Amino acid sequence: MSDLTGRVRGPLAPSTAVQRPLSIDDVEIHGGPLGRWQRINREASIPLGLAQMEKSGAVPNLRLAAGEGDGSFQGYRFQDSDLYKQLEAVAWEHCRHPEREGAYRAFVAESAALLARAQRPDGYLNAHYQVVKPERIFAELEYSHEMYCAGHLFQAAVAAARAGLGEDLLHVARRFADLLVRRFLVGGDDGIDGHAEVETALVELYRLTGERPYLDLARKLIDNRGKGLIKSTGMGPLYAQDHLPVREADTAVGHAVRQLYLEAGVVDVAVETGDADLLASSVRRWEDLVATKTSITGGHGSRHDGEAFGERYELPPDRAYNESCAAIASIHWNWRLLLATGHGRYADLIERTLYNAFAASTSADGTRFFYVNPLQRRADLFEDAYLGRRREWFACACCPPNIMRLVSSLGHYVATTDDEGVSVHQYVPGVIRAGGVVLDVETGYPWDGQVRFTVRSAPGGEWTLKLRVPAWSSTTTLASEPGTAATGTSGRLTPGPDGYAAIRREWQAGDTVTLGLDLTPRVVRPHRRIDALRGCAAIERGPLVYCFEQIDQDADLDDLALAPGAALRTAERDLPGIGTTVLIEADAVRLPPAPAHGLPYTTGADAAPAAPATLTAVPYYQWDNRDGGVMRVWIPLA
Ligand SMILES: [Zn+2]
């Protein structure tokens, strides 16, 4: 197998990895939910985002910084980062379809030219501080977001360069990065940004340019956390992960997106410097996070206060914050751990997060976005900016362009190569090109559990095809034609300790392998220590978490409970506002009407269930596409 790492057109190109990533355009996604998300991202979301770059002030602010406009600064001090994420989304979209994205090339070129004009001679670039308070540049790093914005600039520049959009943006990025190096690495300033992000971006800039000081600065910024250098955010040291040195912290704390972006940087630095202890600390926090602080949807952040992680097992369904950006950051972190270790548990969590916490962030038509992704919506707060319905944009618009850049780069997360062959982590219909291998993939996943791989071409000699067996699939089958040399042969399959089925042989064009995953719907119960979910259950099918929306029920949803041992029935539908879906119907009971007056506590026993009923569930990611009604993922067990 050839080594692809030197020319990866994608967000991540580690110089050493157990699993090596592919370029975005090495994977064609031809349909299924991911194909649909990429289509509406291109047709609806990105055009909407580009229009918002003017409307929201992101671009006009930079004109002010360049001395070219009238008016005053609009928005937050991190407004520049919206443009950077939008640029990255456009760059990866260009990478997928270079032949039809001329407007994207112009947008990147015009933005790079504006940024170059706005950039100070010393390389500094931040519209808020240049326009509003130049005297405070680098003087309030605890909440300034200057390095955070720089990080998003670096990632956009790396994307543009790798996607074939030239190096104008990279030139701007490097001048700013060089300033950071002069001041914070060579110059001895020990400041760190209150919002992690620049660490992972500096490492990627190093990977692209080979400029070692970028990596050294990323490492210093990580090593400086936990020394009390972040003083006056007013939110305490946990908020910005400054409570303990990174190597000593054993659990995720504080602002969820900050913690998760920090983890991406931690893995990047550990991989590039061969720091096994640093990597082990990230894995330790991952294991704790998965076991005690992760929503069933893969969402992270239990508290609105501080957009933060809660304590262990503090996972309220209605007050779950689960910011869309936290889902994205989690996918970034898990992808790094997957490449560094080759273990399928990280691909499992990517899948859970992608199809649930992340996918729910965007409306079916791609024009509305959630900032917060709770597991229950009550009837009272439909108009609330965070607990209400999806919105076109936000005053703090960190999420929408972040969503767009992940969707346009989804091909990067599907498959990898290693010294043995090709590994497939996510199942999408389309084509995978990896190290001389071309695989056609046919599947109706996640609605259908059969995934058929056909080798279209292959290099000579033996190599291994590895297929992830999701932990949720209780009986998995693997059939191959010709039927030789398959692990476990045809029939039921036990994956290896890394979570993958491995088939090693000399492959010929036309050989096929069909993976059969078990999509029997599952009733899932919470850990007994999650007090907020006690007595409830949820329904999953394949990678999808389901939810109940009022619109699908015959009775008040809050009066329904899942029957003991409920039978679950699936039904394919094409629903207005949603499109293709599979509903699940479950046996339920309708509880007697609850008292509407007096204290909601009693010494009396619950009345007996009144009547048999049916509950109907839709995939969580498809909720809030029909009306603004009540929704819940977790339903009481009768
Ligand atoms: Zn966000």
Side-chain angles (χ1 to χ4, degrees):
M1 309 304 293
S2 66
D3 185 345
L4 294 161
T5 56
R7 52 183 182 85
V8 172
R9 293 176 298 281
L12 201 70
S15 57
T16 175
V18 173
Q19 290 291 330
R20 297 189 288 265
L22 304 179
S23 295
I24 284 170
D25 53 333
D26 285 331
V27 176
E28 295 173 25
I29 301 174
H30 290 167
L34 274 67
R36 178 188 168 110
W37 302 337
Q38 289 204 316
R39 181 173 59 75
I40 63 169
N41 191 46
R42 182 176 69 245
E43 293 175 357
S45 306
I46 288 178
L48 182 156
L50 290 175
Q52 284 290 347
M53 293 303 100
E54 283 290 335
K55 260 200 240 176
S56 70
V59 166
N61 290 340
L62 285 156
R63 288 199 198 100
L64 294 178
E68 297 171 4
D70 296 321
S72 53
F73 184 91
Q74 301 173 59
Y76 286 90
R77 63 190 75 214
F78 46 82
Q79 206 80 350
D80 297 359
S81 62
D82 295 350
L83 173 64
Y84 299 146
K85 282 183 267 189
Q86 195 68 48
L87 283 164
E88 189 182 340
V90 161
W92 297 135
E93 197 56 37
H94 174 86
C95 189
R96 296 201 314 121
H97 292 296
E99 74 289 351
R100 65 180 181 205
E101 310 292 358
Y104 289 173
R105 182 176 284 278
F107 172 69
V108 173
E110 287 165 17
S111 300
L114 172 61
L115 290 162
R117 296 197 301 278
Q119 190 166 34
R120 297 199 325 186
D122 65 355
Y124 184 83
L125 181 56
N126 182 290
H128 180 79
Y129 280 89
Q130 288 173 256
V131 173
V132 179
K133 42 180 173 177
E135 75 286 358
R136 299 292 290 163
I137 284 174
F138 290 146
E140 46 195 32
L141 286 171
E142 59 274 19
Y143 50 77
S144 75
H145 289 74
E146 287 160 290
M147 287 199 230
Y148 166 88
C149 288
H152 281 298
L153 168 63
F154 301 164
Q155 289 177 326
V158 167
R162 288 185 179 154
L165 286 166
E167 299 198 349
D168 292 353
L169 204 53
L170 184 61
H171 184 65
V172 172
R174 291 196 62 171
R175 290 187 62 217
F176 198 178
D178 292 343
L179 171 64
L180 296 181
V181 165
R182 287 198 301 277
R183 177 163 180 138
F184 296 98
L185 183 67
V186 182
D189 188 328
D190 279 332
I192 51 176
D193 198 289
H195 197 315
E197 152 67 19
V198 76
E199 300 83 359
T200 183
L202 277 166
V203 176
E204 212 57 39
L205 195 60
Y206 156 74
R207 287 167 172 159
L208 179 72
T209 63
E211 189 73 17
R212 175 78 194 199
Y214 301 158
L215 174 60
D216 293 340
L217 176 57
R219 184 187 181 117
K220 181 185 174 188
L221 293 172
I222 285 168
D223 284 342
N224 267 355
R225 245 163 233 280
K227 294 180 178 174
L229 292 166
I230 299 174
K231 292 196 163 41
S232 53
T233 61
M235 306 290 284
L238 290 174
Y239 177 71
Q241 297 79 42
D242 197 34
H243 60 303
L244 277 175
V246 168
R247 290 159 201 276
E248 295 172 23
D250 62 359
T251 191
V253 296
H255 188 272
V257 177
R258 294 171 197 233
Q259 174 79 62
L260 296 166
Y261 279 162
L262 177 64
E263 297 290 2
V266 165
V267 178
D268 286 336
V269 166
V271 163
E272 295 301 330
T273 60
D275 191 334
D277 288 345
L278 187 60
L279 180 62
S281 80
S282 194
V283 169
R284 194 171 64 239
R285 286 185 297 277
W286 185 92
E287 289 174 346
D288 179 75
L289 178 66
V290 169
T292 68
K293 298 185 180 181
T294 301
S295 281
I296 190 171
T297 57
H300 286 126
S302 304
R303 296 182 182 175
H304 284 238
D305 185 18
E307 305 184 308
F309 287 107
E311 296 190 53
R312 291 185 174 103
Y313 302 109
E314 178 187 339
L315 291 164
D318 47 356
R319 297 295 295 168
Y321 199 67
N322 291 351
E323 183 179 338
S324 302
C325 286
I328 295 161
S330 169
I331 290 169
H332 288 172
W333 178 27
N334 277 278
W335 182 237
R336 284 157 174 78
L337 288 169
L338 172 59
L339 298 184
T341 67
H343 203 290
R345 64 183 185 170
Y346 304 114
D348 273 6
L349 189 58
I350 287 174
E351 177 178 68
R352 178 174 292 277
T353 308
L354 181 65
Y355 280 97
N356 300 290
F358 172 74
S361 68
T362 308
S363 63
D365 67 1
T367 64
R368 296 284 187 281
F369 308 95
F370 276 137
Y371 192 113
V372 174
N373 296 275
L375 307 188
Q376 178 177 1
R377 179 166 68 190
R378 298 179 189 277
D380 310 335
L381 294 168
F382 293 162
E383 299 307 317
D384 183 273
Y386 293 99
L387 289 173
R389 307 200 63 186
R390 293 185 188 88
R391 300 198 162 203
E392 181 177 308
W393 210 252
F394 301 86
C396 172
C398 53
C399 302
N402 212 1
I403 292 164
M404 295 175 211
R405 71 176 179 146
L406 181 62
V407 174
S408 62
S409 61
L410 282 175
H412 186 59
Y413 300 88
V414 169
T416 55
T417 62
D418 61 14
D419 293 338
E420 302 297 313
V422 178
S423 300
V424 184
H425 312 290
Q426 306 299 338
Y427 298 121
V428 290
V431 181
I432 297 169
R433 296 184 186 82
V437 174
V438 182
L439 289 172
D440 290 321
V441 189
E442 298 164 84
T443 183
Y445 196 80
W447 315 117
D448 184 283
Q450 300 293 304
V451 190
R452 179 183 169 94
F453 298 85
T454 303
V455 176
R456 196 196 293 173
S457 64
E462 284 195 347
W463 56 275
T464 302
L465 176 62
K466 288 174 75 173
L467 305 175
R468 179 177 63 94
V469 179
W472 49 255
S473 182
S474 54
T475 53
T476 302
T477 59
L478 189 70
S480 60
E481 281 296 329
T484 56
T487 299
T489 64
S490 295
R492 287 193 179 189
L493 168 75
T494 304
D498 60 358
Y500 292 81
I503 312 152
R504 185 167 185 84
R505 65 160 68 147
E506 262 190 62
W507 298 85
Q508 310 295 331
D511 288 358
T512 67
V513 173
T514 302
L515 182 69
L517 300 172
D518 182 359
L519 294 191
T520 306
R522 313 180 291 277
V523 173
V524 181
R525 298 189 190 202
H527 190 284
R528 61 185 168 79
R529 291 193 179 181
I530 308 175
D531 299 83
L533 301 178
R534 189 165 297 132
C536 289
I539 293 176
E540 297 180 333
R541 179 175 186 258
L544 302 178
V545 174
Y546 274 68
C547 71
F548 305 95
E549 289 197 276
Q550 181 60 60
I551 191 172
D552 295 312
Q553 318 307 327
D554 293 331
D556 189 328
L557 176 56
D558 290 324
D559 288 337
L560 293 171
L562 198 63
L568 304 178
R569 299 170 292 275
T570 58
E572 285 186 33
R573 290 282 189 282
D574 198 351
L575 291 180
I578 287 184
T580 305
T581 194
V582 172
L583 303 180
I584 296 177
E585 289 184 351
D587 296 335
V589 293
R590 184 176 176 180
L591 305 171
H597 302 287
L599 281 169
Y601 315 100
T602 178
T603 56
D606 283 346
T614 299
L615 273 161
T616 301
V618 295
Y620 172 73
Y621 87 83
Q622 295 176 319
W623 84 285
D624 193 51
N625 279 300
R626 292 172 291 174
D627 67 7
V630 169
M631 180 279 293
R632 57 191 307 154
V633 169
W634 292 99
I635 193 86
L637 282 162

